[in-house]
Amino acid sequence: MTSRDGYQWTPETGLTQGVPSLGVISPPTNIKDEDKDGPWDVIVIGGGYCGLTATRDLTVAGFKTLLLEARDRIGGRSWSSNIDGYPYEMGGTWVHWHQSHVWREITRYKMHNALSPSFNFSRGVNHFQLRTNPTSSTYMTHEAEDELLRSALHKFTNVDGTNGRTVLPFPHDMFYVPEFRKYDEMSYAERIEQIKDELSLNERSSLEAFILLCSGGRMENSSFGEFLHWWAMSGYTYQGCMDCLISYKFTEGQSAFARRFWEEAMGTGRLGYVFECPVRSVVDEKGGRGVRVTARDGREFVAKRVVCTIPLNVLSTIQFSPALATEKVSAMQAGHVNMCTKVHAEVDNKDMRSWTGIAYPFNKLCYAIGDGTTPAGNTHLVCFGTDANHIQPDEDVRETLKAVGELAPGEFGVKRLVFHNWVKDEFAKGAWFFSRPGMVSGCLDGLRERHGGVVFANSDWALGWRSFIDGAIEEGTRAARVVLEELGTKRDEVKARL
Amino acid sequence: MTSRDGYQWTPETGLTQGVPSLGVISPPTNIKDEDKDGPWDVIVIGGGYCGLTATRDLTVAGFKTLLLEARDRIGGRSWSSNIDGYPYEMGGTWVHWHQSHVWREITRYKMHNALSPSFNFSRGVNHFQLRTNPTSSTYMTHEAEDELLRSALHKFTNVDGTNGRTVLPFPHDMFYVPEFRKYDEMSYAERIEQIKDELSLNERSSLEAFILLCSGGRMENSSFGEFLHWWAMSGYTYQGCMDCLISYKFTEGQSAFARRFWEEAMGTGRLGYVFECPVRSVVDEKGGRGVRVTARDGREFVAKRVVCTIPLNVLSTIQFSPALATEKVSAMQAGHVNMCTKVHAEVDNKDMRSWTGIAYPFNKLCYAIGDGTTPAGNTHLVCFGTDANHIQPDEDVRETLKAVGELAPGEFGVKRLVFHNWVKDEFAKGAWFFSRPGMVSGCLDGLRERHGGVVFANSDWALGWRSFIDGAIEEGTRAARVVLEELGTKRDEVKARL
C-alpha cells in the first residue's frame, strides 16, 4: 500500500510524493455511517504509538474504542517505507532495551530478536569525516570520533563535577533538585558560552552538530536542560547516548512494529476506526453527556472519554470547548523547536557503509551515518539537518542533493532520496519534541493535565524518554490507565459470580 | 498483618519468626467451596511478581482467573516488612529505569517518584572498609572503592577488547554470537584463573566478593557468562551495574508496589484467590478437558490454561502429568546455585549510613552497605553472604551477629536483625536464579517451553533481567500474552456490533 506521506527521488523518476508503507490501513474505515454513534466508550484521536498503545490497552480491557486518524496510515511521526524490500525510516527510528516502555512492547510482541545495528564498521572506509568548512575534511578513526565527542560532551554536561548526576539524579523527576530549573532555562548557546574556552575547534563543531541533531533546533532556542535530560536517561555517558539514540532499529522497519499494536487491537473486535479523518473540534458536553468530536468533514462522534494524542505543535489547530487552560495554550502557542530535516540517500559507494560524517555549520545537512546496504548493494546514508541551517528537502532537490554531496565530496553518486518533510506536515508541524529554554519547567505539568473528559497524551510531554517512541508508549499507557480507572474494568456478569 | 515468613531478632525479644508486611492477604481466600469450580479461564500458580503480572493482565483482559499461592502473602521472593514504619526488603529490592518491564509498571502505577537511593554519602564515616582477613581493615574513599571495582571488573569482563560488547552485543539474545557459549560454560573460578596475574590482592578480593554477591553461589558453580549477561544488561559498565543492581529502592517497600498489581486485578471483579494453598499436582486432562490443579490439601481446581510461576528450584516438588520434557527435568534436578543469605542489621552508629564494606573470604557475610536510617535514628545495614561461606542466619544468632560485627569490628552494636532464610524456604529453595556453567545454553529454551495447557513463567528463565523483578514481570507479561492469543480477547456481543 502507498501512503500519501513521504517523498522519493531517483534520477529516473524525479521527485514523487507518496511512498509504500506497511502502516497504510485499508479500507480506511471499518464502520458504517449508521454505526458511527457506537456507542463508544472511548475515542482515541491519533494513531501514532501513543494512540495505538492507548487503543490496544483499552480494547483489550473491554472498551469499545474508536480511533480517528488524520492520515492514511498508523505510526504518526514514526513510520517506515519499504522500497524494493528495504526499509527507510521516515521519522522515529532507534530503540534500545534501556527504554522501558518500548522495550516492554518489543519483548511482548516477541520482536527482541528483530533488531539490527545501524553502525557496521566491519569493512569499507571505516572512518569519521569531519568538515567544519566547505573546502577541507579531517578524517579520523571511529575510536578518535568517539573520543572527540566524549570529551566534548563531558565538558558540556559537567555542570556539577558528576556529569549531571548531582543536578539530575532522577531523570523522571526533573526538578527533584529544584536548582535544575536554571539549566532548563539555559539555551545551548548560553551553555557553550560558559565552556567555549575549554573546547577545541573540532570539539566545538562536533558537539554543536551532535546537540543540534538532538534538538533539531537552533543554538539559541534549544534547552540545555532538555539535553541533560536525554543524557541522564542514557546513563550519563556518551556511549549510553550512542546506544540509546542511534544504534538499534527494526530489521523490518517501524511500521512492522506499529502493526502489532494495531492487529492486537483489531483482534479484540472492539475497535472502530476512521482514517483520513482530521479532527476539527472536541467538545466536552455539559452534564456528563460525553465528549463530542467533530471531524473536518462534519462527521460527529461521541464517547464517554477522549484520549487526544495530537502533537503539541498541532494542538492549536483544534477547537476545544470549554477552552483549554492557560498553561496548555501558552505552550501550544510557543510550540517546540524541532524543525529537523531527515533525508535518506542511497549512494553508489559500498565502502561508505562504515562512514560517519559531520559537516557543520556550513552545510544544510550536518550529521550523517552509513545506516545500511540496500538490495542493490548500495550504501544507505541517513542525513540530518536542523533549524540552524534549514532546508526544505522537497522544494529544491538540487539543493538537497548538494547538501548530501557536501557531506563527503567526490565520494559517491546519489541513486535515490527518501524523506518526509515533517516541518511542512500539517499533522506534525515539526519533528520530535524539543524544548525551548524554560518550557519544561514552565509547561510540562500543564501539558499533562486532563481537560474534563479529555485525556491528553503524547510523547511531547512524557516524563521519561520524552520525544521518543518510548515516551509515546509511556503516554498511551498512562492515558489508557486513567480511562480504565475511571470507567472501571469490572463487568457485572462476573461480579455476580465471584 | 503479620506473615509467617521472615525472622526478627532484637536483644529484648530474641529470635521470633514472622514479620509484618503489607503483602499479607486477608482473608486468605475469596471463594466459597461451592464456587471453587469457577468455571475458571486460567489458574495462575504463584503470587510473586510474575504471577501477579499475569493475573493482572488476564483479569483486566476479561478472563476469570484463579490465583493459587502457597504463602500467606503476595510478592514471592520480593517482599518487604514494615517494622515501626521502616521497610526492610526481605528479598528482591532494587529497581532502575533501565529495567524495562518493572519500570513500565512503576510508571503506570505512578510510582516513579516513590524511589529512594540506597547510598547516601552526605555525612558520617563516608568510606569503604575492605577486610581480606580477620585482623585488619583497609579504608578507602568511595571514589577509590569505585576505581578498585571498576578496574577489577574491566579485567574480568574484557574477553574481547570491548568489555563484552563484541561477544554479547544483544543481551536478550545471548547466543547471537555463537561463541558466547564458551563463556556461559566457564565458571567464575576458571575466568579468574585466566586473569589472576593482572589482579592486585585488593582487586581480587573485591571482585570475588562482588561477583559472588551477584551469584549467591560459589566460584566453581557460578557461570561467568551469566555475569557477563548482567554486565551487558547494565550497559557494560561498572557504574551501570551499580545503578541497576543496588541503587534505587521503593521508599515504602516492595510490598507497596506488589499491592498495586493485586488491587488492579481485584478491581476487575474477575479474580478468585486462595492463599496458603501449596500445589501438589498439575494434570493436563486428555481431550482438551482443561488442566486440573490439585492442592496439597486435596482441593481441586480446573481451568482452560494454567500459568505456572513456581521457581526452578521448587518445580521438582510438583507432580506434572503428562511428564515434563527432559530438558526441563534436568534443569530442575540440577537447580540454580544461588544460596544467598541477606541479613538486615539495625546498628547504633549513625555515621555508618555512608559506610560500605567487603569482608572476604573469611567472613560469613561478605558485602554490606549502609542502606538507610531507621526511625530510631540508627543505621540500617544490609549484609550479604553466599554459598561460598554459607550461614543459616536463623540457626545460631550469635554466629550471625558475629558475622555482622566482623564487617566493621568495634564500630557498632546491633539493635535488630531482620531476614528471610531463602535457602530453607520450601517455596523458594534459594534466592534469585543464578546459572551454573553451561546451564543457560543447555536449558534456557527448554525452561521457557510450554507443556500442553501449562505455560511456565518465572524470572528464573527470563531473557532480559533474568533473576530480577524485571524478569518476573517480563515473564508474567509473556505468559498472559500467550493465553490472550490462545483464548482470544474478542467477545461475541461486541463482534456483532462492529
Side-chain angles (χ1 to χ4, degrees):
Chain A
M1 302 285 300
T2 299
S3 173
R4 280 196 301 274
D5 282 350
Y7 292 90
Q8 187 178 185
W9 173 92
T10 66
E12 297 77 27
T13 62
L15 187 70
T16 53
Q17 186 167 1
V19 294
S21 175
L22 292 171
V24 177
I25 300 301
S26 177
T29 183
N30 71 341
I31 57 170
K32 295 179 188 147
D33 260 7
E34 61 267 30
D35 292 335
K36 78 175 179 49
D37 293 332
W40 304 105
D41 293 312
V42 191
I43 295 170
V44 175
I45 306 176
Y49 278 111
C50 179
L52 287 173
T53 302
T55 299
R56 189 270 319 262
D57 283 3
L58 290 165
T59 53
V60 168
F63 294 103
K64 281 170 277 185
T65 304
L66 175 66
L67 177 67
L68 302 179
E69 165 59 54
R71 308 178 188 277
D72 56 12
R73 58 170 183 80
I74 54 174
R77 287 174 283 178
S78 296
W79 68 294
S80 52
S81 174
N82 274 63
I83 298 176
D84 300 339
Y86 184 88
Y88 293 91
E89 293 292 355
M90 312 302 288
T93 303
W94 291 284
V95 296
H96 190 270
W97 41 95
H98 285 170
Q99 295 171 333
S100 55
H101 295 87
V102 70
W103 193 257
R104 184 260 186 185
E105 301 300 337
I106 289 171
T107 306
R108 188 169 179 279
Y109 288 130
K110 294 183 239 175
M111 293 184 76
H112 52 281
N113 292 348
L115 300 180
S116 300
S118 274
F119 297 105
N120 182 338
F121 298 155
S122 63
R123 57 169 189 75
V125 300
N126 199 20
H127 63 218
F128 169 56
Q129 183 168 3
L130 174 61
R131 289 167 56 72
T132 59
N133 61 65
T135 57
S136 70
S137 291
T138 302
Y139 297 92
M140 301 182 198
T141 64
H142 291 301
E143 290 72 24
E145 172 190 12
D146 287 343
E147 197 37 59
L148 179 71
L149 271 162
R150 182 181 293 116
S151 167
L153 281 164
H154 277 209
K155 292 172 187 172
F156 189 61
T157 57
N158 199 17
V159 293
D160 54 6
T162 57
N163 285 111
R165 280 183 178 267
T166 306
V167 298
L168 189 50
F170 288 102
H172 302 82
D173 189 5
M174 276 178 78
F175 305 100
Y176 179 84
V177 174
E179 299 76 49
F180 191 78
R181 187 174 297 261
K182 79 175 177 198
Y183 303 112
D184 175 62
E185 291 170 353
M186 189 180 285
S187 71
Y188 279 4
E190 288 165 327
R191 175 59 185 161
I192 292 280
E193 184 63 22
Q194 293 179 335
I195 59 164
K196 65 178 191 293
D197 296 340
E198 300 167 45
L199 296 168
S200 70
L201 172 63
N202 283 352
E203 280 181 339
R204 180 156 172 180
S205 299
S206 305
L207 174 63
E208 291 194 6
F210 186 86
I211 62 180
L212 287 172
L213 168 70
C214 295
S215 81
R218 292 178 281 111
M219 295 298 290
E220 296 72 25
N221 71 4
S222 301
S223 162
F224 172 55
E226 190 73 346
F227 182 82
L228 279 180
H229 182 239
W230 285 34
W231 174 259
M233 291 298 298
S234 301
Y236 309 89
T237 66
Y238 164 72
Q239 187 62 55
C241 282
M242 297 305 287
D243 287 350
C244 290
L245 306 184
I246 193 167
S247 289
Y248 303 99
K249 57 181 182 172
F250 288 101
T251 307
E252 297 185 16
Q254 280 291 342
S255 295
F257 180 50
R259 283 206 75 98
R260 304 298 177 104
F261 295 75
W262 174 258
E263 283 155 14
E264 185 172 2
M266 283 298 289
T268 65
R270 296 182 198 104
L271 174 61
Y273 65 83
V274 189
F275 281 70
E276 303 176 42
C277 183
V279 165
R280 180 205 297 160
S281 68
V282 177
V283 177
D284 201 347
E285 305 278 358
K286 285 179 186 155
R289 282 176 294 135
V291 185
R292 179 173 307 272
V293 178
T294 306
R296 282 194 198 160
D297 62 11
R299 276 179 290 181
E300 296 191 340
F301 309 94
V302 178
K304 295 174 198 160
R305 292 289 184 283
V306 164
V307 174
C308 176
T309 76
I310 293 172
L312 176 64
N313 284 5
V314 183
L315 266 181
S316 59
T317 66
I318 314 292
Q319 297 160 33
F320 288 93
S321 170
L324 296 178
T326 316
E327 265 184 318
K328 227 187 270 284
V329 172
S330 64
M332 284 157 49
Q333 286 170 347
H336 73 73
V337 303
N338 191 329
M339 299 296 138
C340 168
T341 301
K342 181 182 188 183
V343 175
H344 298 285
E346 182 175 2
V347 304
D348 61 3
N349 180 343
K350 287 184 202 308
D351 292 341
M352 295 290 283
R353 179 70 186 91
S354 52
W355 171 93
T356 59
I358 285 176
Y360 177 87
F362 70 95
N363 198 35
K364 299 253 179 212
L365 294 170
C366 64
Y367 189 101
I369 65 170
D371 196 15
T373 299
T374 68
N378 295 315
T379 293
H380 158 218
L381 301 180
V382 57
C383 316
F384 292 90
T386 86
D387 198 32
N389 189 356
H390 196 254
I391 187 169
Q392 304 276 15
D394 52 315
E395 292 189 357
D396 183 343
V397 172
R398 279 174 310 172
E399 274 294 305
T400 308
L401 288 166
K402 178 166 173 266
V404 172
E406 277 294 317
L407 289 160
E411 294 295 337
F412 54 74
V414 177
K415 311 300 284 181
R416 187 194 311 269
L417 298 176
V418 184
F419 56 85
H420 183 131
N421 187 333
W422 293 104
V423 174
K424 289 166 72 174
D425 180 332
E426 66 169 325
F427 304 123
K429 295 181 182 276
W432 62 92
F433 173 91
F434 206 89
S435 176
R436 297 175 185 280
M439 190 167 195
V440 170
S441 48
C443 304
L444 185 64
D445 290 347
L447 286 169
R448 295 172 62 80
E449 280 289 311
R450 66 183 300 154
H451 184 67
V454 186
V455 179
F456 288 88
N458 192 287
S459 185
D460 293 4
W461 47 87
L463 293 177
W465 289 98
R466 181 166 49 251
S467 316
F468 289 77
I469 295 163
D470 188 84
I473 298 172
E474 176 198 318
E475 278 285 290
T477 302
R478 174 175 76 99
R481 170 95 172 119
V482 168
V483 175
L484 257 63
E485 285 185 294
E486 291 181 6
L487 300 188
T489 52
K490 189 176 275 188
R491 298 283 175 275
D492 287 342
E493 80 277 13
V494 179
K495 187 181 170 189
R497 173 157 313 182
L498 284 180
Chain B
M1 302 285 300
T2 299
S3 172
R4 280 197 300 275
D5 282 350
Y7 292 90
Q8 187 179 184
W9 172 92
T10 67
E12 296 77 26
T13 63
L15 187 70
T16 54
Q17 186 167 1
V19 293
S21 176
L22 291 171
V24 177
I25 301 300
S26 178
T29 183
N30 70 342
I31 56 169
K32 296 179 187 147
D33 259 8
E34 61 266 32
D35 291 336
K36 78 175 180 46
D37 293 334
W40 304 105
D41 293 312
V42 190
I43 295 170
V44 175
I45 305 176
Y49 278 111
C50 179
L52 286 174
T53 302
T55 298
R56 189 270 319 262
D57 283 2
L58 290 165
T59 53
V60 168
F63 294 103
K64 281 170 277 182
T65 304
L66 175 66
L67 176 66
L68 302 178
E69 165 59 55
R71 308 178 189 276
D72 55 14
R73 59 171 182 80
I74 55 174
R77 286 173 284 178
S78 296
W79 68 294
S80 52
S81 174
N82 274 64
I83 298 177
D84 300 340
Y86 184 89
Y88 293 91
E89 293 292 355
M90 311 303 287
T93 303
W94 291 284
V95 296
H96 191 271
W97 41 96
H98 285 171
Q99 295 170 334
S100 56
H101 295 86
V102 70
W103 192 258
R104 184 260 184 186
E105 300 299 337
I106 288 171
T107 305
R108 188 170 180 278
Y109 288 130
K110 295 184 240 175
M111 293 185 77
H112 52 281
N113 292 349
L115 300 180
S116 301
S118 275
F119 296 105
N120 182 339
F121 298 156
S122 62
R123 59 170 188 74
V125 301
N126 199 20
H127 63 219
F128 168 56
Q129 182 168 4
L130 174 59
R131 290 166 58 71
T132 58
N133 62 64
T135 57
S136 69
S137 290
T138 302
Y139 297 94
M140 300 182 198
T141 64
H142 290 302
E143 291 72 25
E145 172 190 10
D146 286 344
E147 199 34 64
L148 179 72
L149 270 162
R150 182 180 294 115
S151 167
L153 281 163
H154 278 211
K155 292 172 186 172
F156 189 62
T157 58
N158 198 17
V159 293
D160 52 7
T162 58
N163 286 110
R165 280 182 179 269
T166 306
V167 299
L168 189 51
F170 289 102
H172 303 81
D173 190 4
M174 276 178 77
F175 305 100
Y176 180 85
V177 175
E179 299 75 49
F180 190 78
R181 187 174 296 262
K182 80 175 174 198
Y183 302 112
D184 175 62
E185 291 170 352
M186 189 180 286
S187 70
Y188 279 4
E190 287 165 330
R191 176 59 185 161
I192 292 281
E193 184 63 23
Q194 293 180 334
I195 59 164
K196 64 178 193 293
D197 296 339
E198 301 168 45
L199 296 169
S200 70
L201 172 63
N202 283 352
E203 280 180 339
R204 179 155 175 182
S205 297
S206 304
L207 174 63
E208 291 194 6
F210 186 86
I211 61 181
L212 287 172
L213 168 69
C214 296
S215 80
R218 291 178 282 109
M219 296 298 291
E220 297 72 27
N221 71 5
S222 302
S223 162
F224 171 57
E226 189 74 345
F227 182 83
L228 280 179
H229 182 240
W230 286 33
W231 173 259
M233 291 298 298
S234 302
Y236 309 89
T237 66
Y238 164 72
Q239 188 63 55
C241 282
M242 295 305 286
D243 287 350
C244 291
L245 306 184
I246 194 167
S247 289
Y248 302 100
K249 57 181 183 171
F250 288 101
T251 307
E252 298 185 14
Q254 281 292 341
S255 295
F257 180 50
R259 285 206 73 99
R260 305 297 178 103
F261 295 74
W262 174 258
E263 282 156 15
E264 186 172 2
M266 282 299 289
T268 64
R270 298 184 198 102
L271 174 61
Y273 65 83
V274 190
F275 282 70
E276 302 176 43
C277 183
V279 165
R280 181 205 295 158
S281 68
V282 177
V283 177
D284 201 347
E285 306 278 358
K286 285 181 188 154
R289 284 176 294 136
V291 184
R292 179 173 305 274
V293 178
T294 307
R296 281 195 199 160
D297 63 12
R299 278 180 289 182
E300 295 192 340
F301 309 93
V302 177
K304 294 174 197 160
R305 293 290 184 282
V306 164
V307 175
C308 176
T309 75
I310 293 171
L312 176 64
N313 283 7
V314 182
L315 266 182
S316 59
T317 67
I318 315 289
Q319 296 161 34
F320 287 92
S321 171
L324 296 178
T326 315
E327 264 183 321
K328 229 188 268 284
V329 171
S330 63
M332 284 157 48
Q333 287 169 347
H336 73 72
V337 304
N338 190 330
M339 299 296 138
C340 168
T341 301
K342 180 182 188 183
V343 175
H344 297 286
E346 182 177 2
V347 305
D348 60 3
N349 180 343
K350 288 183 201 310
D351 291 342
M352 295 291 283
R353 179 69 186 90
S354 52
W355 171 93
T356 59
I358 286 176
Y360 176 86
F362 69 95
N363 199 34
K364 299 254 178 207
L365 295 168
C366 65
Y367 189 101
I369 65 170
D371 197 14
T373 298
T374 68
N378 296 314
T379 294
H380 158 218
L381 301 180
V382 57
C383 316
F384 291 91
T386 86
D387 199 33
N389 190 357
H390 196 255
I391 187 170
Q392 305 277 12
D394 53 314
E395 291 189 355
D396 182 344
V397 173
R398 281 174 309 173
E399 273 294 305
T400 307
L401 288 166
K402 177 164 175 267
V404 172
E406 276 293 316
L407 290 159
E411 294 296 337
F412 53 74
V414 177
K415 311 298 286 181
R416 187 194 310 271
L417 298 175
V418 184
F419 55 83
H420 183 132
N421 188 333
W422 293 105
V423 174
K424 287 166 74 175
D425 180 333
E426 68 169 323
F427 304 124
K429 294 181 183 279
W432 61 91
F433 173 91
F434 206 90
S435 174
R436 297 175 186 280
M439 190 168 196
V440 169
S441 50
C443 303
L444 185 64
D445 290 346
L447 286 170
R448 295 173 62 81
E449 280 289 310
R450 67 181 303 152
H451 184 67
V454 185
V455 179
F456 288 88
N458 193 287
S459 185
D460 293 4
W461 46 87
L463 293 177
W465 288 99
R466 182 165 49 250
S467 316
F468 290 76
I469 295 163
D470 189 83
I473 298 173
E474 176 198 319
E475 279 285 290
T477 303
R478 174 176 76 99
R481 171 94 170 119
V482 168
V483 174
L484 257 63
E485 285 185 295
E486 291 181 6
L487 301 188
T489 52
K490 189 176 276 189
R491 299 282 175 275
D492 287 340
E493 80 276 16
V494 179
K495 187 181 170 190
R497 175 159 318 201
L498 286 179

